[in-house]
């Protein structure tokens, strides 16, 4: 069985494990105050081109989301998300557990638009309702699509005019930035978001997400929030060392590129067989629509998620590639299709 | 500079890194449902001798504490802790952030006693006050002391008669179980607590604490709570693999024993020089009382915490040893004393 | 100006003020343990025909909702509501502030159906999502419609088969039970809900809602939850005395009937003029659709809410009647129409 | 049986009930936006001599405390209180339920001092601990003592130098301001606190506490917090009307004075019999120390709380007087002593 189930089926890129091994017996300060974490933070601030940014490393995406959102909002403030947003359906109410409402809107291919955000904002007019204060978007989205620079600029600009924070969930940011469709850079995220995070777990790290806080208002006391939510690792070095490895020579982008190339190859092979997709296939998550009997046959040799019924005879499945996906796996899958 | 500042200054025991490396490219289920995590859970259940126990792996101590406590208590229920308890002072209000009050009592050498617990229970009589429902103890305690079997039996017995859960924080359980003073075993913890955790981070793991839930009432839906607090790692395997390595051949105890032997050596050397201790030195944390000028001198070559002023001329410092403490470090420190 | 803006524009029914005055200088136990509160509770339990029910009085609807829901659910459990549910939009995130997600579905005329509830339940399958555990409905609904006995039986039956609690928000229960369309009784609510509340504020009381807990599982320690949320009044007698007055001789139903008759009169007059309604006009809230210029004209002499735009030329307004609505007000309004 | 159990055994002062009755059938805006509430707010702002203050009315003390504190603090911030503070022991964890830790210190006769506050502040130095941000004091205190102007000035001055908010719980403020020992005025509270509340429930109102927010930083969006915690009454007028009655002609102070005079009379009679007090008897709560057999005898004719054991033969009881305490009750009690 070969797995296209997700992008965290394997461990870490070998270079990362090597770095952990080489530094293993050194004695360092705890809680992310070691020199590797500090260096990784500096490098990321450079890539983002925001010397005033703060960078913090945490263990996972839900943890990043719940800390960022609860640290940014007052009790009566809410966050706007697409219905498909990870915080809305796949985090067991983690945001609500910190006391905040998520205002959901139907997205377009998993994305928010200014019009949708505006609808929510204009609906909330007095103290009988929550006060929307943050916009949450994911890039790539939970259904594999991505934001163009124009779209992000529009959303950010609306946010600034309407006193909203923009938070970008980058669990799969590598795949987004390396997509053929992409026209955004890390620098753009440094100026077009208030806070975002760079996903490590799904792009080669053992664990780790790097939160980048651009807006100074959101920086104050951030380590307190991390500690309070159980996110300040005693051996914080293990996050710093990984991010240092990922960013000191652009390994992060090379890994994402590999994932995208593998997805592209899958996409082309699937198209060649005449099948279509549920959403535009532009990243490392693609959602081909296949006849049910084909899906059943493939499921005997490959792991993947059955995503949604399309009609009586066909369904969409989700195929995910990663830095570790083997070309042989892809080739075999296409042959078996 | 050599550091006795804590037991998480180095990375992981090499055997653990080796195991991570060897399994690195295997594809596995996410979120702790991989075969290594499952095997580690079974082994731990065996050691605890409770086939009905549940075992869950999380990243750190604060995370373990906040999840266990908030999963066990209803909104109006509280947890009883010694004033020195980690949850009370060193977790940035993590427990209160989940909505629960901590009822604190002065401990005896960092430990709770039945009498102290009883005082709290008897004070809380109606709906104008919280309802104490859980007792939190640490072994070893935050000041290096430990519970004897008799003490634990008394507390557990009181808890059972009074409808209280007993939760043991085992961030430094290895050192406790390997102390010369100790008469407890993992099996005892399987029958004398409702829930406890086995600290990995401070005893050789890269990260990881193993929560053992003995009481079936506390087991239901536990993975939901983990997810909601951001503790369900996508690559959960990295916790399972580490605990498997630690427990398949008792590596865990060997590492703790080394830490204790190093602390014992420090203790003996310090005693030989005629100095005393703030609390009985029985584990890998010891608190010698030294003249201020000696402390100042040592601080130039060694990292350690200045713990508390004792009188105008002397103070207590904290020395912590670990699986990674080098005998040369200890020898040098004693020579420099 | 005469107001049809809501059903809490006036104070209390005079009989209630009289009762408060007559008992005013008596000394009584605090916190709802006075004899009047106890008597009121007994009478309500009788009307509900559930001797095992618990009855508690609180100050308002949002308070009732947030206490009932947070007392019933564990942290990872959620409550299902229609999008139009009061808890979803008009309580400033009160439910989320207690840590719980609201799963919303499009209602039918403001009502939930088994099919809608089922959709939510079947979507939530594992620990990456919240666990729906309670169903929240309002009767009458926020848009003036009501549940028939058949509908309530179906929902309750589905809840019981699927281990869900059914909670009925009765802020406007009086109007519901006295509607010409209604076939439910208080007794029915005693056997077809796990918990519900009887709205006093909107039906003649100065303040006060009476929570009736039928399901014993939800009864334990309920006064602790009330106190913790600031809902246990020192002078709890003022709630008990009011409910005693409302229920000792069915004043509650007489007041609701008056409100409904006034609404019916409005409805008939409006229909006679040839106008229709946004939702079926069956209770003390009706939503006529009127030409914008008519609305503008009426707004000069009457207070009411502009509810929603229907098309370019017409909009729906909300007219609410109460126990205190004067027939002259209604007549005048219809003449001015 | 006559009751000295507390100051909320009777209903409201007749003038208040009269005002409620006279305005009862008027139609007014809901949620505290009626003209009486607005007028009451203006009058109180005048008495406090702070035109920039905000005034909000809520139903009870626990509600006032939990809203003020949770509205003022960020998640990692804590509030400092005396161990005897109402928020610490008699509110069922209401503050913790909003996510905040209470840092407790031993008070002096129930009062905080700068030294005590300083100890807490200096102990909390980094992100592993909460960040104390608010100081909570009660006047009178929970054990009947009161703050002198000098003490309040010192505390407020320390708070301002150390970036702390000062919150004064005035559940029994009337008795404090009318004590013979008192040298504070409402104006002083307008300049020496960031926020305080004027207790109505325990001084003649049916229900109601008036929160006065002096510090503009704490004013923003306060009505959102009230609504979210279920404290925005639909018929908010009933709070406004009461406070208007209490403050338009200083009824508030007359009622408190009566309570104090009755307590003073009790105190003098008790002293004359040769008994002492647990705490200085200066307000409407006094704590005489009596022989156990005397207490037993009195308990047959009077309601009061047995407060604490003093030695084997004597105990302290709590006697509370109010605006409604009858002189005959006091005389009888002293005769029976």
């Amino acid at each position: 069985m070969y797995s296209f189930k997700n992008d965290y089926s394997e461990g870490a890129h070998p270079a990362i494990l090597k770095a952990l091994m080489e530094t293993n017996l050194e004695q360092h300060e705890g809680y992310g105050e070691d020199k590797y974490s500090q260096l990784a933070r500096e490098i990321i601030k450079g890539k983002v081109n925001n010397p005033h940014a703060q960078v913090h490393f945490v263990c996972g995406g839900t943890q990043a989301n719940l800390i960022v959102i609860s640290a940014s909002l007052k009790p009566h403030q809410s966050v706007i998300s697409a219905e498909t947003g990870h915080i809305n359906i796949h985090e067991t109410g983690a945001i609500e557990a910190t006391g905040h409402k998520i205002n959901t809107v139907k997205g377009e291919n998993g994305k928010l638009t200014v019009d949708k955000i505006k609808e929510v904002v204009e609906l909330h007019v007095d103290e009988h309702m929550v006060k929307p204060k943050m916009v949450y978007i994911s890039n790539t989205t939970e259904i594999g699509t991505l934001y163009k620079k124009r779209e992000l600029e529009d959303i950010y600009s609306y946010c600034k005019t309407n006193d909203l924070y923009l938070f970008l969930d980058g669990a799969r940011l590598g795949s987004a930035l390396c997509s053929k469709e992409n026209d955004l850079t890390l620098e753009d995220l440094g100026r077009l978001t208030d806070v975002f995070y760079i996903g490590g777990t799904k792009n080669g790290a053992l664990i780790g997400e790097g939160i980048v806080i651009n807006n100074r208002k959101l920086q104050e006391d951030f380590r307190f929030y991390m500690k309070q939510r159980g996110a300040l690792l005693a051996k914080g070095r293990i996050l710093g060392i990984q991010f240092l490895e990922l960013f000191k020579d652009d390994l992060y982008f090379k890994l994402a590129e590999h994932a995208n190339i593998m997805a592209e190859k899958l996409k082309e092979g699937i198209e060649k067989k005449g099948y279509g997709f549920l959403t535009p296939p532009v990243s490392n998550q693609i959602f081909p629509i296949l006849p049910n009997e084909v899906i059943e046959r493939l499921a005997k040799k490959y792991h993947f998620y059955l995503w949604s019924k399309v009609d009586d005879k066909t369904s969409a499945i989700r195929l995910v590639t990663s830095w570790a996906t083997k070309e042989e796996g892809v080739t075999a899958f296409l042959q078996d299709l």
Side-chain angles (χ1 to χ4, degrees), chain A:
Chain A
M1 297 288 280
Y2 194 74
S3 177
F4 293 104
K5 201 167 168 187
N6 54 49
D7 30 18
Y8 43 83
S9 295
E10 289 90 358
H13 186 269
I16 282 175
L17 278 191
K18 188 160 161 277
L20 287 173
M21 204 157 253
E22 284 170 0
T23 59
N24 188 47
L25 292 181
E26 298 170 6
Q27 288 191 318
H28 288 292
E29 277 297 294
Y31 302 109
E33 305 200 281
D34 63 283
K35 70 174 182 190
Y36 296 113
S37 297
Q38 281 168 15
L39 193 51
R41 284 195 280 265
E42 287 312 309
I43 287 177
I44 289 172
K45 282 159 68 173
K47 303 255 173 198
V48 170
N49 194 26
N50 180 358
H52 304 303
Q54 266 188 7
V55 179
H56 301 279
F57 302 117
V58 299
C59 285
T62 298
Q63 195 174 69
N65 287 333
L66 79 88
I67 293 173
V68 166
I69 293 170
S70 67
S72 304
L73 301 183
K74 294 183 180 174
H76 64 304
Q77 296 175 336
S78 62
V79 56
I80 301 172
S81 164
E83 276 181 7
T84 47
H86 203 261
I87 56 168
N88 187 42
I89 41 167
H90 281 105
E91 300 188 353
T92 319
I95 304 311
E96 291 86 355
T98 68
H100 300 284
K101 190 179 193 70
I102 303 171
N103 299 118
T104 54
V105 294
K106 270 221 176 325
E108 295 181 4
N109 267 332
K111 293 190 285 180
L112 285 182
T113 61
V114 168
D115 282 353
K116 295 287 183 179
I117 298 167
K118 208 174 162 186
E119 262 176 44
V120 176
V121 169
E122 293 184 350
L123 189 71
H124 290 81
V125 296
D126 67 24
E127 69 266 25
H128 294 264
M129 289 171 264
V130 291
K131 198 171 199 173
K133 181 69 182 172
M134 181 173 251
V135 170
Y136 165 91
I137 59 176
S138 309
N139 199 26
T140 63
T141 70
E142 293 75 8
I143 50 176
T145 54
L146 57 80
Y147 284 87
K148 303 290 288 188
K149 192 192 284 191
R150 182 80 253 146
E151 296 170 319
L152 190 62
E153 281 168 348
D154 287 351
I155 291 176
Y156 185 65
S157 157
Y158 178 83
C159 284
K160 291 307 98 178
T161 338
N162 289 275
D163 200 20
L164 296 164
Y165 300 124
L166 179 57
F167 170 34
L168 185 146
D169 173 336
R172 291 193 173 97
L173 186 59
S175 179
L177 296 185
C178 296
S179 166
K180 278 160 57 176
E181 298 292 319
N182 175 65
D183 55 1
L184 284 165
T185 62
L186 274 181
E187 277 198 36
D188 291 331
L189 298 186
R191 63 181 183 84
L192 295 175
T193 70
D194 292 288
V195 50
F196 71 100
Y197 77 84
I198 301 170
T201 305
K202 289 170 179 164
N203 194 28
L206 214 48
I207 47 167
E209 322 292 309
I211 299 169
V212 181
I213 312 180
N214 295 307
N215 188 329
R216 292 195 199 195
K217 272 197 213 162
L218 303 184
Q219 295 178 354
E220 195 186 354
D221 288 345
F222 198 80
R223 282 171 61 85
F224 284 81
Y225 298 106
M226 291 173 63
K227 176 65 187 174
Q228 190 180 63
R229 304 300 183 181
L232 214 52
L233 288 189
K235 294 180 181 167
R237 64 198 277 165
I238 68 169
L239 298 173
I241 289 165
Q242 292 185 87
F243 272 88
L244 185 55
E245 206 55 35
L246 285 170
F247 281 95
K248 71 179 184 199
D249 298 314
D250 289 338
L251 177 62
Y252 189 76
F253 299 101
K254 287 174 205 153
L255 298 183
E257 198 150 32
H258 175 81
N260 283 358
I261 289 170
M262 292 300 102
E264 176 79 10
K265 215 176 151 84
L266 278 171
K267 178 207 131 184
E268 283 171 5
I270 291 163
E271 275 178 346
K272 217 172 274 173
K273 303 258 175 173
Y275 299 124
F277 295 85
L278 192 67
T279 60
V282 298
S283 70
N284 76 322
Q285 289 189 92
I286 62 175
F287 299 78
I289 298 170
L290 302 175
N292 293 337
E293 68 271 12
V294 173
I295 294 172
E296 246 171 79
R297 185 161 40 78
L298 289 168
K300 284 173 189 144
K301 295 180 67 178
Y302 303 93
H303 290 297
F304 51 78
Y305 275 106
L306 186 64
W307 194 255
S308 60
K309 193 181 153 173
V310 172
D311 58 35
D312 277 358
K313 295 189 171 160
T314 63
S315 301
I317 63 169
R318 183 180 82 157
L319 299 177
V320 191
T321 56
S322 83
W323 66 273
T325 301
K326 291 183 186 154
E327 188 148 9
E328 306 90 88
V330 171
T331 313
F333 182 90
L334 291 175
Q335 280 167 354
D336 286 330
L337 186 63

